[in-house]
Amino acid sequence: MTTIRPFETDDLAAAGQLLALRHAAHRRAQPLLSERYEEPKAAEVEIAAVLEQEDASGAVAVVDGQLTGYLIGAPKPSPVWGPNVWVESAGQAVENPETMRDLYALAATRWVDEERTAHYVLTPAHD
């Protein structure tokens, strides 16, 4: 059974593993991308930077004690985008694409409650 809960800083290492795997798959489709982010520690640093943004929040999926997906977004103050949340490249990775719906359901509930109704996601096209 999958548990969906808010992202916590203790989730960073496991999320770094997932992002490194996602980046490796992305590099198979786009080999000119940097190899650097296939290293879990480098990926973890990128996720930590997303989490450090003001008002960043998100969710994780956990199955049998193992993190199987995460989603983190943060607002970008701008009159152009309106009240928003952006999920940048390092802000999401999942083992199973179907998990993203459940992650978004939890994360977006908070974002909408905060009146951030425009949600933007950057994701590799091969996903």
Side-chain angles (χ1 to χ4, degrees):
M1 184 167 140
T2 303
T3 300
I4 307 295
R5 62 166 173 73
F7 193 103
E8 300 170 357
T9 54
D10 288 347
D11 298 319
L12 276 170
Q17 293 280 344
L18 283 177
L19 182 57
L21 290 171
R22 192 202 80 202
H23 187 70
H26 192 185
R27 280 196 66 243
R28 285 191 290 279
Q30 300 291 325
L32 296 178
L33 292 172
S34 172
E35 294 176 24
R36 178 173 180 242
Y37 302 107
E38 289 182 29
E39 293 296 325
K41 281 293 184 191
E44 185 179 333
V45 167
E46 295 302 310
I47 298 166
V50 172
L51 211 52
E52 289 171 0
Q53 295 177 57
E54 187 173 340
D55 295 325
S57 63
V60 296
V62 179
V63 176
D64 296 327
Q66 300 298 311
L67 193 123
T68 61
Y70 74 92
L71 174 71
I72 307 168
K76 289 187 178 184
S78 169
V80 173
W81 302 112
N84 66 73
V85 170
W86 282 81
V87 177
E88 300 286 347
S89 294
Q92 56 85 18
V94 292
E95 288 181 358
N96 178 343
E98 295 299 317
T99 303
M100 192 54 71
R101 268 191 282 240
D102 297 329
L103 292 170
Y104 181 74
L106 179 65
T109 297
R110 174 178 171 170
W111 301 337
V112 170
D113 287 348
E114 293 172 346
E115 299 183 1
R116 302 179 195 284
T117 55
H119 305 161
Y120 305 95
V121 179
L122 301 178
T123 189
H126 81 280
D127 280 355

